[in-house]
């Protein structure tokens, strides 16, 4: 006990005695050592002193105990009484525990004995049930064996066997033996050995024979019978899958080494060594042998594929109406698809094809069909053989590439009988490499034909030598221009060679839609290349402004070369259109765009030049002399000789006809607007009109040679209708008297060959000329009364034809206003003829009448 718990009356001298680990001997030794160290007396005195000390302590402690007992007597008595009551309670508890133990022992005895008896009875019942099960299984086995003997007798004398029912019985026997644990039973082992196994072998052999015969003869009845037997045996999926894989093994042995270059070379060498024909007709080459062997392999592939397709069709139609197997693992999608397409049975019941498909490809949820599996594996093996032969022999590789259209003919028409199949495998695994190479070579051949159309540039020094030789010749082009003019236009035979090359390649590829489309794409690319090169040549030629200058004298030699480039592109486009008409989809839009753009631009340039020359052929009242048609002749001759005569593009025939029609209308108006209109001017205008008519007839004649349909659609100038007749009417109109003009204006239905506006222009010029001749007015004074001066209209705009009824009506109003001013001026002059004034007044009335607000009939 520690010092904190020492009784306060004892003092610290008793602390050592109250400690929990107090040891008397140790304490005695300690006291003895302490005394020796303190007093240095003898041993007896020390011991006596220690004993005395201990005695005093003991007496003091005894007295303290007595006092404590006396003081705590009542409390001690209470504690004693409580202890006795506790002892009595504990005794009673012990008695109760002993009674419970006795009761539990009795109860344990009552439960254990019945339980042990129940275990014994259960063991006896289990043994009895096992014995009964074995007896029942044995009895059922014997019953099934007797049924099997009835269904499949041992000899034909006992009746014909029913292998389908026998297969069901065999399956039941196998399940009975496996589920009943009958191994080791003598009668069962004997029955299995002597009866069941032989009949099982006969049944399997019969099913295999029926399948073999049915597939070979394509007899669906035999195939269905064999499949039903295998299904009843429970081996349908494994047996059919094994047969399909056997087909693949046989195909692999057939294909392997068939195209071996060494074997092919040896065959060719041996065959040609035995050839007896003098002309060598019975000799063969490597190409023929390889293609014949490939054809044989394709025939074999087709034959086996057709056999398996018959098998697949029967598998798809057959299904177990009362299923006895677990079909929950099969995908319902395939089952529903097959049932909906091939049978009218329950869609939830898988067909025989479902079972086989899952067996052929266990990694797929829906499996793979028989013919698809055969197609995939057979193509892979054939591709391996052909690729191996091509790797070993460049001759075979070259031959298959060059003969690719024929190779496609060996595959596609025959194998199309196996539709529907994934024919993309045929190209992805087998033909794709040769197709790409063949298309590349076909494109290269077409591109070569295009490249040959444009010769390379002349060697250095040749142009300089040509130029030096021609410098002394006046009017001759330089050497560079001559050489460029010769070399810029492709030869027509070379362009025809491009068409022939395209046609040849497309004809060779037309047997296969895929190949034909690829070659057509290559031809389209070549056409775009030709258009691009031709466009570059055109840009190089037109960079010189003299080439497109209609007023250049003499004409630039490259102008005809430019037209030759247009003809070249057009001839290629026409050839491509012919290919399109034969069913080949070659895109010639780039050539059409090139021709349309540049030819239209060239004709626009010529049209602007001729139009400008016509504008300048009129006087516009600015001079007293009539300009000549020399500028018009130069522009028209340039259009005729440099453009239209060499141009051979039928689509622009009508454009030229429209241009000439416009020229006739414009020059008719120029003649009507001639002022002053003197007698000398009339004679000059008559000659100019004849000259203009001849020039236009030459333009029409030059354009007629490219008319669509040939000469039957060619036009002459008289075919242009009203514009031509209006020009022809100008010569008599110039010399008509005032009275004749008055009668012409006064007609209710005037001749539509000449516009009323043009006739009014002529009358305005007559009245203005009369005023000029009979007065002191100058040319400038009278000119201000002309309609285009009154309204500040440009000469070129007034000469142009009105574009709408509104513009025509506005022109009539402007002409009437001009005539009013002239009539007012003429009334102030005495010598102006009254008939002329009357003519002017009648013309004003006609112009303002409602029936002349519409345009007259136009020409072509």
């Amino acid at each position: 006990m520690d010092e904190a718990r020492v009784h306060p009356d004892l003092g610290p001298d008793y602390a050592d005695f109250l400690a929990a680990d107090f040891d008397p001997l140790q304490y005695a030794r300690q006291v003895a050592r302490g005394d020796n160290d303190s007093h240095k007396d003898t041993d007896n005195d020390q011991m006596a002193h220690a004993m005395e000390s201990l005695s005093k302590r003991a007496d003091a402690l005894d007295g303290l105990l007595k006092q404590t007992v006396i003081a705590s007597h009542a409390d001690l008595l209470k504690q004693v009484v409580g202890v006795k009551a506790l002892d009595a309670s504990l005794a009673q508890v012990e008695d109760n525990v002993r009674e419970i133990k006795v009761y539990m022992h009795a109860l344990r005895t009552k439960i254990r004995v019945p339980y042990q008896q129940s275990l014994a009875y259960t063991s006896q019942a289990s043994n009895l049930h096992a014995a009964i099960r074995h007896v029942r299984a044995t009895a059922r086995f014997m019953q099934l064996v007797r049924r099997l003997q009835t269904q499949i007798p041992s000899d034909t004398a006992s009746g014909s066997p029913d292998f389908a029912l026998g297969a069901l019985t065999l399956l039941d026997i196998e399940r009975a033996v496996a589920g009943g644990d009958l191994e080791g039973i003598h009668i069962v082992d004997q029955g299995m050995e002597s009866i069941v196994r032989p009949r099982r072998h006969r049944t399997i052999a019969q099913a295999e024979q029926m399948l073999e015969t049915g597939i070979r003869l394509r007899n669906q009845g035999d195939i269905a019978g064999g499949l039903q037997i295998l299904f009843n045996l429970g081996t349908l999926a494994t047996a059919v899958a094994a047969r399909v894989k056997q087909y693949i093994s046989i195909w692999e042995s057939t294909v392997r080494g068939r195209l071996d270059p060494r074997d092919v070379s040896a065959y060719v060498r041996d065959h040609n060594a035995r050839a007896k024909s003098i002309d060598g007709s019975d000799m063969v080459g490597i190409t023929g042998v390889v293609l014949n062997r490939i054809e044989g392999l394709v025939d074999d592939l087709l034959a086996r594929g057709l056999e398996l397709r018959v098998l697949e069709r029967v598998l798809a139609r057959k299904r177990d109406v009362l299923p006895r197997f677990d079909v929950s693992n099969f995908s319902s999608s395939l089952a529903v698809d097959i049932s909906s397409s091939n049978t009218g049975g329950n869609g939830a019941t898988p067909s025989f094809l479902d079972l086989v498909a899952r067996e052929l490809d266990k990694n797929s949820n829906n499996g793979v069909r028989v013919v698809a599996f055969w197609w995939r594996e057979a193509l892979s093996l054939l591709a391996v053989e052909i690729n191996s032969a091509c790797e070993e022999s460049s001759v075979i590789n070259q031959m298959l590439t060059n003969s690719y259209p024929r190779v496609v003919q060996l595959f596609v028409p025959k194998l199309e009988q196996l539709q529907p199949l994934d024919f993309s495998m045929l190209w992805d695994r087998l033909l794709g490499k040769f197709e790409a190479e063949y298309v590349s070579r076909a494109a290269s051949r077409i591109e070569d034909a295009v490249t040959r159309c444009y010769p390379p540039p002349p060697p250095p020094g040749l142009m300089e030598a040509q130029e030096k030789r021609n410098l002394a010749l006046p009017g001759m082009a330089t050497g560079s221009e001559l050489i460029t003019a010769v070399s810029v236009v492709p030869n027509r035979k070379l362009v025809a060679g491009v068409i022939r090359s395209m046609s040849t390649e497309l004809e060779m590829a037309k047997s296969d839609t895929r190949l034909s489309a690829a070659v057509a794409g290559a031809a389209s690319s070549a056409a775009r290349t030709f258009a691009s090169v031709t466009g570059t040549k055109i840009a190089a030629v037109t960079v010189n402004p003299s080439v497109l200058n209609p007023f250049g004298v003499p004409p630039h030699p490259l102008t005809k070369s430019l037209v030759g480039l247009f003809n070249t592109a057009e001839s290629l486009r026409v050839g491509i259109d012919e290919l399109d008409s034969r069913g080949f989809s070659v895109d010639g839009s780039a050539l059409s765009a090139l021709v349309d753009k540049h030819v239209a631009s060239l004709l626009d340039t010529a049209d602007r030049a001729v139009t400008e020359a016509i504008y300048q052929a009129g006087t516009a009242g600015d001079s007293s002399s009539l300009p000549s048609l020399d500028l018009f002749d130069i522009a028209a001759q340039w259009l005729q000789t440099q453009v239209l005569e060499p141009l051979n593009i039928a689509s622009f025939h009508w454009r030229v006809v429209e241009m000439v029609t416009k020229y006739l209308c414009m020059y008719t108006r120029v003649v009507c607007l001639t002022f002053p209109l003197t007698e000398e001017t009339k004679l000059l205008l008559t000659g100019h009109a004849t000259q203009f008519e001849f020039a236009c007839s030459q333009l029409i004649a030059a354009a007629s040679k490219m008319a669509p349909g040939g000469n039957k659609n060619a036009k002459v100038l008289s075919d242009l209708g009203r514009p031509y007749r209006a020009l022809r009417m100008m010569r008599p109109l110039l010399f008509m008297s005032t009275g004749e003009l008055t009668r012409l204006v006064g007609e209710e239905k005037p001749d539509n060959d000449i516009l009323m506006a043009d006739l009014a222009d002529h009358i305005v010029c007559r009245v203005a000329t009369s005023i000029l001749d009979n007065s002191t007015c100058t040319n400038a004074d009278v000119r201000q009364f002309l309609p285009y001066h009154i309204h500040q209209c440009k000469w070129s705009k007034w000469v142009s034809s009105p574009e709408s009824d509104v513009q025509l009506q506005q022109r009539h109003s402007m002409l009437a206003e001009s005539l009013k001013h002239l009539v007012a001026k003429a009334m102030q002059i005495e010598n102006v003829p009254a008939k002329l004034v009357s003519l002017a007044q009648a013309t004003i009335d006609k112009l303002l009448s409602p029936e002349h607000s519409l345009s007259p009939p136009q020409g072509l």
Side-chain angles (χ1 to χ4, degrees):
M1 183 180 296
D2 55 10
E3 295 180 358
R5 298 182 60 186
V6 177
H7 197 279
D9 296 333
L10 294 179
D13 294 336
Y14 296 96
D16 294 336
F17 300 101
L18 295 178
D21 56 348
F22 175 74
D23 187 359
L25 295 177
Q26 185 177 1
Y27 180 76
R29 293 190 189 97
Q30 183 178 0
V31 171
R33 286 196 301 272
D35 293 340
N36 290 335
D37 295 335
S38 306
H39 304 285
K40 306 295 183 181
D41 294 333
T42 60
D43 294 338
N44 292 331
D45 294 337
Q46 294 175 356
M47 186 59 68
H49 183 270
M51 291 300 293
E52 184 179 0
S53 177
L54 290 175
S55 176
K56 290 179 180 180
R57 293 179 182 180
D59 292 339
L61 181 62
D62 184 44
L64 182 59
L65 287 173
K66 289 179 179 181
Q67 294 176 2
T68 303
V69 169
I70 293 171
S72 304
H73 179 69
D75 294 335
L76 290 175
L77 288 178
K78 291 180 181 179
Q79 292 180 2
V80 169
V81 173
V83 169
K84 288 181 179 181
L86 181 61
D87 288 341
S89 298
L90 289 176
Q92 185 178 0
V93 171
E94 288 178 355
D95 292 340
N96 292 335
V97 170
R98 281 192 297 270
E99 290 178 2
I100 290 174
K101 288 183 178 179
V102 172
Y103 176 76
M104 292 298 297
H105 180 71
L107 183 61
R108 185 184 302 111
T109 302
K110 290 181 181 180
I111 294 175
R112 182 179 297 174
V113 173
Y115 174 70
Q116 291 177 350
Q117 291 178 351
S118 177
L119 286 179
Y121 294 154
T122 302
S123 178
Q124 292 175 3
S126 177
N127 294 335
L128 180 60
H129 289 165
I132 293 173
R133 187 172 63 253
H134 280 79
V135 171
R136 286 178 177 175
T138 304
R140 175 161 177 75
F141 173 78
M142 297 305 299
Q143 181 184 4
L144 292 174
V145 168
R146 287 193 294 272
R147 184 196 300 173
L148 180 63
Q149 288 177 324
T150 302
Q151 294 168 345
I152 306 177
S154 57
D155 52 5
T156 57
S158 301
S160 59
D162 190 343
F163 289 101
L165 293 177
L168 286 173
T169 304
L170 285 171
L171 181 60
D172 292 338
I173 290 174
E174 290 182 359
R175 290 183 174 181
V177 172
D181 193 16
L182 301 179
E183 294 183 359
I185 300 177
H186 176 69
I187 190 172
V188 174
D189 294 342
Q190 184 178 7
M192 291 291 295
E193 186 67 28
S194 61
I195 299 175
V196 176
R197 290 193 179 94
R199 283 169 172 76
R200 178 178 176 81
H201 293 159
R202 286 180 57 193
T203 303
I204 294 176
Q206 179 66 22
E208 294 291 340
Q209 181 182 358
M210 293 178 70
L211 273 179
E212 185 70 29
T213 304
I215 291 175
R216 186 178 69 254
L217 301 178
R218 300 181 186 175
N219 187 330
Q220 297 188 11
D222 289 345
I223 296 176
L227 293 177
Q228 189 63 52
I229 293 173
L230 292 175
F231 180 78
N232 292 342
L233 283 174
T235 60
L236 172 70
T238 55
V240 175
R243 174 171 288 274
V244 174
K245 292 176 181 178
Q246 182 183 8
Y247 264 67
I248 294 174
S249 299
I250 296 174
W251 170 256
E252 182 179 6
S253 61
T254 302
V255 171
R256 185 183 297 115
R258 186 65 177 164
L259 300 179
D260 185 10
R262 292 181 292 273
D263 182 66
V264 172
S265 300
Y267 175 82
V268 171
R269 186 170 53 255
D270 295 342
H271 183 277
N272 293 339
R274 296 191 301 270
K276 298 180 180 180
S277 177
I278 298 177
D279 58 356
S281 58
D282 56 348
M283 299 182 70
V284 297
I286 293 179
T287 300
V289 172
V290 171
L291 292 178
N292 287 337
R293 291 192 177 188
I294 292 178
E295 184 176 9
L297 291 175
V298 173
D299 292 338
D300 194 7
L301 177 65
L302 174 62
R304 297 178 186 274
L306 292 176
E307 292 176 357
L308 291 177
R309 187 172 67 176
V310 176
L311 174 62
E312 182 181 281
R313 287 177 175 175
V314 179
L315 285 170
R317 291 187 177 94
K318 292 285 291 182
R319 66 181 66 246
D320 189 18
V321 181
L322 299 175
R324 288 157 287 112
F325 306 109
D326 182 15
V327 297
S328 60
N329 294 330
F330 292 95
S331 171
S332 61
S333 61
L334 182 61
V336 171
D337 175 68
I338 295 175
S339 65
S340 61
S341 60
N342 296 307
T343 69
N346 184 11
T349 303
S351 66
F352 288 1
L353 181 59
D354 299 340
L355 308 177
V356 176
R358 286 294 301 274
E359 183 66 24
L360 287 173
D361 191 354
K362 297 180 179 179
N363 297 325
S364 174
N365 292 331
N366 296 330
V368 59
R369 292 176 176 249
V370 174
V371 179
F373 180 78
W374 155 256
W375 174 256
R376 182 183 67 191
E377 300 298 326
L379 275 186
S380 298
L381 293 172
L382 182 58
V384 169
E385 179 64 21
I386 291 180
N387 292 334
S388 176
C390 292
E391 290 176 0
E392 294 181 11
S393 174
S394 59
V395 176
I396 294 180
N397 186 31
Q398 185 81 5
M399 181 272 298
L400 291 177
T401 301
N402 294 336
S403 305
Y404 176 74
R406 184 177 175 186
V407 174
V408 172
Q409 284 301 298
L410 295 179
F411 280 91
V412 176
K414 294 181 179 180
L415 297 182
E416 282 180 347
Q417 303 178 47
L418 297 178
Q419 293 281 17
L421 283 176
D422 186 7
F423 263 70
S424 62
M425 292 185 185
L426 184 62
W427 276 270
D428 294 342
R429 301 187 180 186
L430 187 62
L431 301 179
K433 179 181 70 174
F434 303 110
E435 180 188 35
E437 184 66 23
Y438 179 82
V439 172
S440 176
R441 294 186 181 183
S444 178
R445 288 190 288 268
I446 298 175
E447 291 288 347
D448 289 343
V450 171
T451 304
R452 286 193 295 270
C453 289
Y454 290 98
L462 182 58
M463 288 191 297
E464 290 78 0
Q466 183 72 27
E467 186 171 359
K468 290 179 181 179
R469 186 175 65 86
N470 293 327
L471 282 177
L473 300 177
M476 288 293 295
T478 62
S480 58
E481 292 173 344
L482 287 177
I483 292 177
T484 307
V486 173
S487 62
V488 74
V489 182
N491 188 287
R492 287 181 295 177
K493 294 182 178 179
L494 295 178
V495 178
V498 176
I499 298 297
R500 284 196 302 271
S501 179
M502 289 182 180
S503 177
T504 301
E505 298 296 340
L506 290 169
E507 284 291 339
M508 293 180 65
K510 70 177 181 180
S511 57
D512 178 51
T513 305
R514 178 187 176 117
L515 180 61
S516 179
V519 175
S524 301
S525 177
R528 288 190 292 269
T529 301
F530 189 93
S532 176
V533 176
T534 304
T536 304
K537 293 285 186 181
I538 292 172
V541 170
T542 55
V543 73
N544 187 347
S546 301
V547 176
L548 298 178
N549 183 14
F551 300 113
V553 179
H556 198 282
L558 284 181
T559 304
K560 288 187 176 181
S561 299
L562 180 63
V563 177
L565 286 174
F566 300 157
N567 292 333
T568 299
E570 174 67 9
S571 64
L572 184 58
R573 187 194 63 79
V574 171
I576 290 177
D577 288 345
E578 293 178 357
L579 293 177
D580 287 340
S581 64
R582 289 158 53 187
F584 302 119
S585 301
V586 182
D587 183 14
S589 59
L591 291 169
S592 299
L594 177 76
V595 171
D596 294 343
K597 173 185 176 182
H598 290 285
V599 175
S601 177
L602 180 62
L603 290 179
D604 288 343
T605 300
D607 184 47
R608 286 192 299 269
V610 175
T611 302
E612 181 64 26
I614 293 175
Y615 289 153
Q616 297 184 19
T619 61
D622 298 331
S623 63
S624 58
S625 61
L626 184 66
S628 66
L629 287 178
D630 294 343
L631 196 61
F632 168 78
D633 287 339
I634 294 174
Q637 188 175 10
W638 184 87
L639 175 61
Q640 172 193 341
T641 59
Q642 304 298 313
V643 178
L644 296 181
E645 288 181 355
L647 189 64
N648 189 20
I649 303 177
S651 58
F652 288 93
H653 167 70
W654 287 107
R655 169 69 187 281
V656 178
V657 172
E658 292 174 356
M659 290 167 56
V660 174
T661 302
K662 182 182 73 171
Y663 302 156
L664 292 175
C665 294
M666 289 179 62
Y667 191 72
T668 298
R669 190 162 293 109
V670 166
V671 173
C672 292
L673 289 170
T674 302
F675 170 79
L677 190 60
T678 62
E679 292 298 325
E680 182 182 0
T681 303
K682 292 179 181 179
L683 293 175
L684 289 175
L685 284 175
T686 303
H688 287 181
T690 303
Q691 182 182 353
F692 187 89
E693 179 183 350
F694 177 76
C696 290
S697 65
Q698 294 299 311
L699 293 178
I700 290 293
S704 297
K705 67 178 183 58
M706 58 180 180
N711 293 329
K712 63 180 182 180
N713 293 326
K715 298 292 181 182
V716 295
L717 194 61
S718 59
D719 294 331
L720 300 187
R722 187 201 62 79
Y724 169 73
R725 293 193 299 272
L727 179 65
R728 297 279 295 181
M729 189 179 178
M730 285 298 100
R731 280 171 286 194
L733 180 68
L734 291 172
F735 297 98
M736 278 186 181
S737 64
T738 304
E740 292 174 337
L741 284 175
T742 303
R743 286 192 298 272
L744 181 62
V745 172
E747 292 179 357
E748 294 184 1
K749 296 182 180 179
D751 192 351
N752 286 329
D753 289 341
I754 182 170
L755 293 175
M756 185 62 198
D758 296 342
L759 182 60
D761 278 330
H762 176 69
I763 294 173
V764 166
C765 292
R766 280 205 177 194
V767 174
T769 302
S770 179
I771 293 173
L772 180 65
D773 293 340
N774 295 293
S775 68
T776 59
C777 296
T778 63
N779 195 331
D781 295 335
V782 179
R783 189 172 63 232
Q784 59 182 329
F785 296 112
L786 298 180
Y788 45 86
H789 281 284
I790 294 176
H791 297 280
Q792 297 181 354
C793 178
K794 292 183 179 180
W795 163 262
S796 59
K797 184 176 180 181
W798 190 266
V799 172
S800 301
S801 298
E803 297 179 357
S804 64
D805 294 340
V806 176
Q807 293 181 0
L808 184 62
Q809 189 172 3
Q810 291 176 352
R811 178 165 292 193
H812 286 179
S813 299
M814 295 166 66
L815 286 167
E817 183 178 358
S818 176
L819 282 172
K820 289 179 180 179
H821 287 289
L822 290 173
V823 168
K825 185 67 176 177
M827 296 294 290
Q828 301 174 5
I829 302 172
E830 296 180 358
N831 296 330
V832 175
K835 292 183 178 180
L836 190 59
V837 175
S838 300
L839 172 62
Q841 191 62 50
T843 305
I844 294 172
D845 296 338
K846 200 72 171 182
L847 288 172
L848 298 179
S849 61
E851 62 267 18
H852 290 284
S853 60
L854 300 178
S855 301
Q858 298 297 317
L860 293 176

